[in-house]
Amino acid sequence: MVLCDSEIRAALRAGHLVIRPEPTANQYTTTAVDLTLGGTFSRWKAPSGHGATTAIDPAAADFSFPRIARDHLQEAPTDEEGAVTLEPGGFLLGITAEWVELPVSSHLAARVEGRSTLARLGIGIHVTAPTVHSGFRGRITLEITNHSTLNIRLCPGLPICQLIFETVFGTPTEEMTGIFQNQNDVTGRE
């Protein structure tokens, strides 16, 4: 069951959901709350050298996303206002300005989805990872793609995505753990 705006507000008031800073009135729609773009952008480094290629094997026994990110991600260049320009076919990792918590006891999970205005420009906000699990705490990483033929400038503070909250039947047997719990950047932790 999807929560409507009044139920989202009630969950915030009751502490069943935390969003900091708390959303303003204009961030709500009938069944979602908009989140804004933070000011940190990363992109994958291009292989260097003539004919160089890089292959990452997520099935390898020693695969570690934080290590791969440390070795292969770089900060994306921004302009004087902190905005990044995403070229056609480009891919960036960004993060929300807001911190989100979904306590297991609240029986809530969420889906992060793009906003239709940006989608119509060709911007995709997540690749295949829309789920924000019950028990999650942190800022939400966004996998931002540009399917357009135009450069798109993305500024910190831009309403970038929406969270759609759903009720979870039952209580998960364990607290959420993992490298992305309590994240403040896109790299995770070891």
Side-chain angles (χ1 to χ4, degrees):
M1 188 164 46
V2 172
L3 274 60
C4 70
D5 58 342
S6 62
E7 292 299 317
I8 296 168
R9 286 181 171 101
L12 283 165
R13 284 191 304 272
H16 298 299
L17 162 64
V18 174
I19 302 175
R20 289 190 313 257
E22 193 165 318
T24 62
N26 64 346
Q27 286 179 268
Y28 289 92
T29 63
T30 58
T31 56
V33 63
D34 289 343
L35 299 183
T36 59
L37 188 58
T40 304
F41 307 99
S42 297
R43 66 179 181 193
W44 295 102
K45 295 176 188 175
S48 59
H50 179 69
T53 61
T54 299
I56 296 171
D57 182 359
D62 65 343
F63 175 81
S64 159
F65 184 83
R67 182 178 52 76
I68 297 299
R70 188 174 47 249
D71 293 347
H72 297 284
L73 273 179
Q74 64 185 3
E75 189 175 320
T78 57
D79 64 21
E80 62 282 348
E81 294 174 349
V84 65
T85 298
L86 187 55
E87 298 172 349
F91 177 82
L92 290 171
L93 293 174
I95 200 156
T96 61
E98 293 83 3
W99 176 274
V100 174
E101 294 180 24
L102 298 171
V104 169
S105 61
S106 71
H107 297 274
L108 292 176
R111 283 181 287 123
V112 61
E113 296 290 348
R115 297 183 69 245
S116 60
T117 303
L118 296 176
R120 291 172 188 178
L121 292 174
I123 296 297
I125 298 305
H126 64 79
V127 176
T128 62
T131 303
V132 182
H133 294 283
S134 181
F136 174 81
R137 291 182 309 274
R139 293 167 66 199
I140 298 171
T141 297
L142 306 169
E143 303 98 10
I144 306 169
T145 54
N146 182 354
H147 301 285
S148 173
T149 58
L150 306 171
N151 288 338
I152 307 287
R153 186 174 178 266
L154 302 171
C155 302
L158 174 72
I160 192 74
C161 65
Q162 56 188 326
L163 280 185
I164 300 167
F165 298 94
E166 302 171 310
T167 56
V168 175
F169 293 101
T171 302
T173 57
E174 298 179 19
E175 286 288 323
M176 186 176 166
T177 59
I179 61 172
F180 302 118
Q181 186 70 311
N182 297 309
Q183 69 183 3
N184 269 312
D185 65 31
V186 302
T187 61
R189 55 187 165 82
E190 289 191 298

